[in-house]
Amino acid sequence: AMSIRFKESPSQIIDCVLTTAVPPHKKVTFLIPPILSEIILHHPEVLRSHLSSIVEFTLNTMVSKQSQTEAQFQQFLSVLILESDPTYLIDQSLRIADKCSHPLPYESFILRAYEVRDDIILPYNIVSHLLTRLLKKPSLLYSNGNSSTVASNSNSNEPRNTAAELFTLICVKEMKSVQRFGSGQTPEVKKKIIPFLRSAQLHPSSREEVLSHRVVDLSGVTDIRELK
């Protein structure tokens, strides 16, 4: 493992490193994650003051397909997720995506957070914010009620439908919040939500594919017909 010791304060170094990251440049971008990993591991307090700018760098880097195979970037992602408050991390990713002029892959970022941690419990306001964003994505329509979304995408050359994966995952993890959100929506929006809820509730394969690292007990959940 690499070990670096810095003379400057960790906060100053983060500022410098993130300044060099804008605008993104192929030759520089992937030199940055190992430095950030090292600082976060030795000085986790920097996350309190710099989380927003670190998440912004992360989302912009994830736009590049290369990030998916770049080992040091993936390691940095795990460090960031493990050392941060996951609720605040997800909230920041949504806020940054809201104000960015180009699309950012917040769905992949949030899916990765759930892969790394199994203790994420989101408050209703963040679930609502996330669902509102996802429901605006045209790709969400393509897999309504398709419980094998995750499997079919991972076993073929088709790109992952991360919006549908994330929507299904949130239905599994935060079912009561999704039902609460859905109950206040128009009939048209409810039609989009109900197949995902039904899939999460009725198809064990859907739950296992989305959360392959753990089994989720959905016994005792409220009837999805409440939304109608």
Side-chain angles (χ1 to χ4, degrees), residues 145-174:
N146 177 2
S147 64
S148 60
T149 301
V150 182
S152 63
N153 279 319
S154 59
N155 294 336
S156 72
N157 293 323
E158 293 173 32
R160 287 174 71 187
N161 187 339
T162 50
E165 277 186 55
L166 183 54
F167 206 101
T168 305
L169 174 63
I170 297 302
C171 286
V172 169
K173 298 281 284 180
E174 303 286 353

Side-chain angles (χ1 to χ4, degrees), residues 93-221:
S93 71
L94 292 171
R95 289 171 185 269
I96 289 161
D98 280 346
K99 66 182 186 188
C100 186
S101 56
H102 59 272
L104 292 173
Y106 67 92
E107 307 99 321
S108 298
F109 179 74
I110 296 172
L111 283 167
R112 182 59 194 271
Y114 276 99
E115 283 171 21
V116 172
R117 301 182 70 136
D118 61 6
D119 62 342
I120 301 174
I121 299 170
L122 296 178
Y124 176 75
N125 66 307
I126 296 179
V127 174
S128 170
H129 187 178
L130 177 53
L131 296 179
T132 301
R133 278 200 67 92
L134 288 172
L135 283 161
K136 290 175 184 170
K137 295 187 83 78
S139 59
L140 199 65
L141 301 172
Y142 301 147
S143 17
N144 264 1
N146 177 2
S147 64
S148 60
T149 301
V150 182
S152 63
N153 279 319
S154 59
N155 294 336
S156 72
N157 293 323
E158 293 173 32
R160 287 174 71 187
N161 187 339
T162 50
E165 277 186 55
L166 183 54
F167 206 101
T168 305
L169 174 63
I170 297 302
C171 286
V172 169
K173 298 281 284 180
E174 303 286 353
M175 188 170 282
K176 288 189 174 167
S177 288
V178 177
Q179 289 170 329
R180 178 181 162 191
F181 173 84
S183 65
Q185 302 303 312
T186 63
E188 188 185 346
V189 173
K190 286 180 186 176
K191 272 186 195 169
K192 291 182 186 177
I193 297 172
I194 286 173
F196 283 98
L197 271 175
R198 188 173 288 131
S199 173
Q201 201 172 24
L202 303 179
H203 301 290
S205 62
S206 171
R207 301 202 299 269
E208 285 157 20
E209 283 155 13
V210 170
L211 291 176
S212 57
H213 62 293
R214 67 200 293 243
V215 177
V216 177
D217 178 18
L218 289 179
S219 58
V221 292

Side-chain angles (χ1 to χ4, degrees), residues 58-109:
T58 307
L59 290 171
N60 278 303
T61 304
M62 289 176 79
V63 172
S64 158
K65 295 273 183 248
Q66 190 186 341
S67 67
Q68 295 168 17
T69 55
E70 227 290 326
Q72 288 188 317
F73 179 75
Q74 292 301 322
Q75 186 181 23
F76 153 70
L77 254 185
S78 297
V79 167
L80 174 62
I81 292 161
L82 287 168
E83 294 294 330
S84 305
D85 172 342
T87 304
Y88 190 48
L89 201 61
I90 290 170
D91 184 47
Q92 283 297 307
S93 71
L94 292 171
R95 289 171 185 269
I96 289 161
D98 280 346
K99 66 182 186 188
C100 186
S101 56
H102 59 272
L104 292 173
Y106 67 92
E107 307 99 321
S108 298
F109 179 74

